[in-house]
Amino acid sequence: MSEVEETIKRIQSHKGVSGIIIVNADGIPIRTTLDNSTTVQYSGLIHQLAAKAKSTVRDLDPQNDLTFLRIRSKKHEIMVAPDKEYLLIVIQSPNEV
Amino acid sequence: MFVDEVLDGVNFKSTWKKERYINDRETQTTALLVSDEAVQSYKTVDEAVQTDEEPKRKLRLAEDTSGQLANFLRRTEPYIIKQLTNNLRSRAFDGYDVDLEDDSTSVTSLHTLTYPSLQDKFQVTSLSWNSTGSVIGASYGQQEHEDWCTHRSVMCTWNLDRTGIVADKPDSKIEVDSCLMYIAFHPKNPAIVAGGSFNGEVLLWDLSREDDMLIATSGLGQDSHQEPVTKVYWITDAKGKKIYLVSASGDGKIIQWKIDRKAQKLLPKEGFMVMTQSLPRQMKVKGVRGDREIGVTCLSYHSEDRETFIVGSETGVIFKCSMYSQGPPAGSHIVSSIPLRSPVTFTYNPHHGPVYAVECSPFHRNAFVSASMDQCIRLYSLLQAQPVLTIEPGEGYVHSATWSPVKATVIAATTQSGNLLIYDLKQGKTVPVHNIPASSNKEPVYACQFNPQQTHLLATGDGKGRVQIFKLSSKLQQVSGKETEFLGNLVNVTAE
């Protein structure tokens, strides 16, 4: 299996991880481990949120940049790692051990 | 000599009649202006519009054009893994509960529903919410009977979503010719209700019908129960498709029914009999045969495992049973058209009085709660005979206990002294977080049910036939995600 698939599998098999989505610069998912409707929802919403977070950080300090975004909710934690061309979204449920 | 003569007539002028004089006169109106106008109605044309069913857009993952995906993942993977492991170990958010909504800390009574023509003689024997959570049904009966039941009782329903809800006028009333002991709404169809009566009959009603709402009954023959029906329950089969009706009664029988709509009869499909041979050794009475029946007072199906069910009995013993168990068959003195056998696979440490309620936890597969006439509430693990926790509220008999459908550690119980107790096991195992009077004049409260859809509502029914609807505090509905874990830890503790 290619390195990409192996890496995704490794992250997915980590304790508590419910799903991984990799989104390209246009906000279209290129890899996912969740079902279609969830993937579409997450990719659209998180892509916008990450863009807004990035612009907020840049506006506050032009030399600064967004490195990581974490959204913690009652049920899970969504971790977003941004990049110039991609966006890695990992959803973890830390309560269900 | 005689000559004909004609005389003139004589005229009298009338003194009162006046002569009328007639004159001719002419008048003319001004010229009328007249003109012609034409009006025509619209022309109508028929037009049809139809939307096309939007083809389900298949998720097409985009192609990775830049070829840098592997590098990107190589860079970010270690960081993500580090964050994931940190999260699992982190205790940063352990006590952190954000309350973003309206913070109400108390439980308040919203409505008190009564049916005045029962004249306070009947008690609420059970309550049930329908599948949409908008209708509450109450069954009425009397707890004390000397012999055969000759009362005429009713089942009333109120629709709480209606704006003009009148507290003493139920939306529908169904009359039954004996006391109704238990009702249960169908879990999917909001109009179907099943009920068990005092004389052993199991009835099925459809509230959406205009005339006779009764659609099936088990009749009073040998196949139905010979003692009051204590519980009716709807279960879904293992595949989750079919829904069956199960009834339990004081004659020890637990029968699964098949509904024959055309003949309007309920036919027994499968049956079990709880017998004295399943009692624990210290409770067995010498001289009593092993196949004598034990009255079943309550039963509860497991939330995940469709074949396992818990049965509470009049003797105080709680049994774990299985639908597929091959227990010994019922004694030959029982006449029934379907074979009855004992379903018991395990016996738990008994209560000291009849068990009034058992319920399996909807969150944790090993926990169940029981309430009994020995004035205590017990939390058991499915796997061990000794209870994990015994709560003694000190308020008389505990008539019912039920789990909250949203928060895994919340139990509501009602007592003989007329109080509604709500326990949150996470906040205190002996003291309830709420202790509210649920009836006037300290009448015993016999039934309580959480609303599975509108989770802020809880209904209780008391000895005078009053149904009270409570609004729960927001703390009782907030789930922090750690409750199931807490319950699991509680239940996994092995008693010394």
Side-chain angles (χ1 to χ4, degrees), chain B residues 148 197-201 219-229 249-253 255 273 293 333-336 340:
Chain B
W148 198 252
S197 74
F198 190 84
N199 44 17
E201 209 178 338
L220 286 169
Q222 272 164 352
D223 280 337
S224 69
H225 294 288
Q226 261 74 50
E227 294 266 332
V229 177
S249 147
D251 64 358
K253 283 195 218 166
I255 305 181
M273 170 82 81
E293 50 272 17
H333 60 278
I334 309 288
V335 182
S336 162
L340 297 171

Side-chain angles (χ1 to χ4, degrees), chain B residues 47 84 118 152 210 238 254 259 274 280 334 357 363 365 385 460:
Chain B
E47 201 67 55
L84 288 171
L118 290 175
R152 286 195 66 88
E210 303 245 316
I254 299 168
I259 303 170
V274 182
I334 309 288
F363 289 95
R365 63 179 136 75
T460 57

Side-chain angles (χ1 to χ4, degrees), chain B residues 230-231 248 254 295-300 310-313 355-358 371:
Chain B
T230 46
K231 188 137 181 179
I254 299 168
V296 174
T297 49
C298 47
L299 87 109
S300 166
I310 307 286
V311 164
S313 66
V355 182
Y356 282 143
V358 278

Side-chain angles (χ1 to χ4, degrees), chain B residues 36-92:
Chain B
D36 270 319
E37 206 62 56
V39 170
Q40 182 161 330
S41 62
Y42 294 95
K43 228 189 194 166
T44 57
V45 177
D46 270 323
E47 201 67 55
V49 173
Q50 180 168 326
T51 57
D52 273 323
E53 222 190 70
E54 243 190 58
K56 265 200 179 145
R57 261 190 254 128
K58 277 211 151 143
L59 174 71
R60 253 181 268 129
L61 297 174
E63 284 300 313
D64 172 31
T65 45
S66 65
Q68 295 293 317
L69 186 56
N71 286 341
F72 165 65
L73 281 176
R74 214 177 296 137
R75 274 193 312 250
T76 49
E77 190 205 349
Y79 196 56
I80 285 267
I81 298 279
K82 194 174 103 182
Q83 292 300 326
L84 288 171
T85 36
N86 272 351
N87 265 349
L88 291 170
R89 276 180 303 180
S90 154
R91 306 198 65 84

Side-chain angles (χ1 to χ4, degrees), chain A residues 3-4 7 10 14-15 17 28-30 36 40 68 70 72 74 77 79 83 85-86 88 92 95, chain B residues 59 61-62 64 66 68-69 72 74-75 77 79 83-85 87-88 93 479-482 485:
Chain A
E3 192 192 335
V4 169
T7 314
R10 255 202 307 275
H14 202 277
K15 227 181 192 182
V17 173
I28 304 172
I30 49 176
N36 288 354
V40 167
F68 205 76
R70 282 163 75 171
R72 191 172 181 106
K74 269 192 200 161
E77 174 150 344
M79 281 172 274
D83 186 74
E85 287 134 14
Y86 304 100
L88 171 65
Q92 186 191 28
N95 298 320
Chain B
L59 174 71
L61 297 174
D64 172 31
S66 65
Q68 295 293 317
L69 186 56
F72 165 65
R74 214 177 296 137
R75 274 193 312 250
E77 190 205 349
Y79 196 56
Q83 292 300 326
L84 288 171
T85 36
N87 265 349
L88 291 170
F93 290 100
V479 180
S480 75
K482 298 256 183 205
E485 203 186 319

Side-chain angles (χ1 to χ4, degrees), chain B residues 102-111 129 420 422 434 436 450 454-460 468-477:
Chain B
D102 204 10
D103 192 16
S104 62
T105 46
S106 61
V107 177
T108 50
S109 170
L110 283 181
H111 307 282
W129 292 94
L420 167 68
I422 302 182
H434 292 283
I436 309 136
F450 280 95
Q454 300 192 35
T455 52
H456 58 280
L457 294 177
L458 170 69
T460 57
Q468 282 214 311
I469 312 282
F470 289 94
K471 177 167 176 287
L472 299 173
S473 67
S474 48
K475 266 191 180 268
L476 290 174
Q477 298 164 58

Side-chain angles (χ1 to χ4, degrees), chain B residues 142-386:
Chain B
Q142 299 212 0
Q143 297 281 2
E144 272 91 42
H145 284 92
E146 280 171 359
D147 49 35
W148 198 252
C149 175
T150 48
H151 305 115
R152 286 195 66 88
S153 93
V154 282
M155 183 192 86
C156 297
T157 65
W158 284 267
N159 187 333
L160 296 176
D161 284 345
R162 290 217 184 127
T163 46
I165 173 176
V166 183
D168 53 2
K169 244 183 139 223
D171 292 321
S172 75
K173 309 176 264 290
I174 298 177
E175 293 198 345
V176 190
D177 7 314
S178 72
C179 290
L180 256 189
M181 302 306 288
Y182 205 87
I183 52 163
F185 271 95
H186 192 274
K188 295 266 166 67
N189 187 333
I192 308 253
V193 190
S197 74
F198 190 84
N199 44 17
E201 209 178 338
V202 177
L203 307 139
L204 195 65
W205 293 284
D206 184 348
L207 295 176
S208 58
R209 282 163 66 133
E210 303 245 316
D211 45 2
D212 187 20
M213 293 190 198
L214 185 68
I215 51 175
T217 164
S218 68
L220 286 169
Q222 272 164 352
D223 280 337
S224 69
H225 294 288
Q226 261 74 50
E227 294 266 332
V229 177
T230 46
K231 188 137 181 179
V232 286
Y233 205 87
W234 291 97
I235 55 164
T236 346
D237 76 347
K239 295 184 204 126
K241 290 211 185 120
K242 286 199 179 170
I243 298 183
Y244 294 109
L245 183 61
V246 170
S247 67
S249 147
D251 64 358
K253 283 195 218 166
I254 299 168
I255 305 181
Q256 185 179 340
W257 301 93
K258 195 169 51 186
I259 303 170
D260 185 349
R261 288 256 183 157
K262 281 200 208 123
Q264 294 208 326
K265 284 189 85 55
L266 287 171
L267 303 163
K269 183 171 167 286
E270 219 182 310
F272 302 99
M273 170 82 81
V274 182
M275 296 177 279
T276 47
Q277 58 198 222
S278 316
L279 286 176
R281 198 161 307 170
Q282 63 265 32
M283 288 186 74
K284 285 197 179 152
V285 180
K286 257 199 189 155
V288 175
R289 285 170 47 176
D291 56 1
R292 291 289 157 203
E293 50 272 17
I294 301 177
V296 174
T297 49
C298 47
L299 87 109
S300 166
Y301 272 78
H302 196 266
S303 47
E304 284 171 31
D305 183 4
R306 296 275 160 230
E307 329 167 343
T308 312
F309 57 102
I310 307 286
V311 164
S313 66
E314 283 172 354
T315 56
V317 186
I318 304 173
F319 303 100
K320 174 168 130 179
C321 308
S322 162
M323 302 272 281
Y324 297 127
S325 79
Q326 295 296 325
S332 48
H333 60 278
I334 309 288
V335 182
S336 162
S337 61
I338 47 160
L340 297 171
R341 55 185 195 282
S342 167
V344 178
T345 54
F346 190 67
T347 315
Y348 295 93
N349 195 20
H351 274 276
H352 304 294
V355 182
Y356 282 143
V358 278
E359 192 166 325
C360 291
S361 165
F363 289 95
H364 197 279
R365 63 179 136 75
N366 278 347
F368 69 92
V369 71
S370 70
S372 143
M373 203 181 94
D374 66 352
Q375 307 187 17
C376 54
I377 304 165
R378 289 190 187 184
L379 175 67
Y380 283 87
S381 159
L382 221 72
L383 307 169
Q384 80 182 26
Q386 293 291 333

